Amino acid sequence: MSLPPRDLVAWLYRSVAEHRLITGSAGNVSLRHGEGMLITPTGATGATARPARMVEMRFDGNHQGKVLPSSEWQMHAAIYRAAPQAMAIVHTHSDCATALACLGEPLPAFHYDVAGFGGTTVPLAAYATFGTAELAANVVRAMAGHSACLLANHGMICHAATAEAALAAALRLETLARQYLMARAAGAPVLLDAAAMRAVHGRYRNYGQQESKA
């Protein structure tokens, strides 16, 4: 998507809100930008997400302008430092992902698409107070080798190579969490074993690539 960076962050946040992944200001998004990031301001909602209000800041917390960044900026900064491939981040309190996180459980391999987040589960980060360095460290630890995790008693977070991909990942994670909770309500979901998930990862390496023609 060819938008200036501030417009792209605002678009991403509005899109997350339009897809009902956030209620009010219960979420935040960011975009890697230069040596730091652009992040939604504290208290922002989908309706108030204006490009001019997106906060430009460094990973050490220094920011430009009088508008304050999201209280969760440390979590975003820690992910960008730990994962060079991360270019956009979405954090939400979406209903089903949050419900599962509040059960204190990761999302297991009940469906092969769980592998799309990099592992055999979507892991759970240990609880810590929101907006703290402790929570940021817990998230980075849980996300090692993954592009998403659940946050115990809190919500979910994911990163991707583009803003559009980050939105798609957040929607996919919420969908999978909903399907898993529905399956659990009906009975005991059958989980895929390690061999099955290895096969899925092998398929994903070439998924969507077109065969080259001479």
Side-chain angles (χ1 to χ4, degrees):
M1 181 175 291
S2 299
L3 289 175
R6 289 179 180 274
D7 295 74
L8 190 56
V9 178
W11 169 84
L12 178 57
Y13 197 60
R14 288 195 303 269
S15 298
V16 169
E18 288 166 2
H19 283 91
R20 299 184 180 180
L21 294 178
I22 60 172
T23 300
S25 61
N28 35 78
V29 307
S30 67
L31 185 72
R32 190 188 291 274
H33 182 65
E35 297 301 313
M37 61 183 170
L38 285 165
I39 191 168
T40 44
T42 186
T45 68
T48 63
R50 302 287 185 269
R53 290 185 58 79
M54 300 301 105
V55 181
E56 183 175 353
M57 66 182 304
R58 297 189 339 209
F59 296 148
D60 63 4
N62 287 326
H63 66 277
Q64 297 184 4
K66 296 181 180 179
V67 180
L68 296 177
S70 166
S71 62
E72 298 284 19
W73 70 265
Q74 293 189 83
M75 187 164 60
H76 290 248
I79 292 171
Y80 286 128
R81 283 194 295 256
Q85 74 276 21
M87 300 302 292
I89 294 172
V90 171
H91 164 54
T92 81
H93 301 174
S94 54
D95 290 345
C96 295
T98 300
L100 184 56
C102 290
L103 293 173
E105 300 178 19
L107 180 64
F110 81 106
H111 189 287
Y112 73 83
D113 205 23
V114 170
F117 295 99
T120 58
T121 69
V122 175
L124 178 76
Y127 179 79
T129 305
F130 76 94
T132 62
E134 181 184 3
L135 177 59
N138 290 351
V139 166
V140 167
R141 190 176 303 113
M143 288 183 78
H146 300 76
S147 60
C149 76
L150 303 177
L151 286 64
N153 304 95
H154 187 154
M156 59 88 107
I157 193 164
C158 61
H159 69 71
T162 67
E164 300 96 317
L167 173 62
L171 287 167
R172 186 167 74 252
L173 180 52
E174 175 64 7
T175 297
L176 286 167
R178 181 172 64 251
Q179 292 168 341
Y180 176 64
L181 291 173
M182 290 172 66
R184 273 189 38 173
V190 176
L191 302 184
L192 298 174
D193 63 19
M197 292 300 278
R198 281 196 300 271
V200 173
H201 280 290
R203 294 284 291 176
Y204 272 169
R205 279 194 287 272
N206 298 315
Y207 183 76
Q209 296 183 14
Q210 297 297 318
E211 182 179 355
S212 61
K213 295 182 180 180

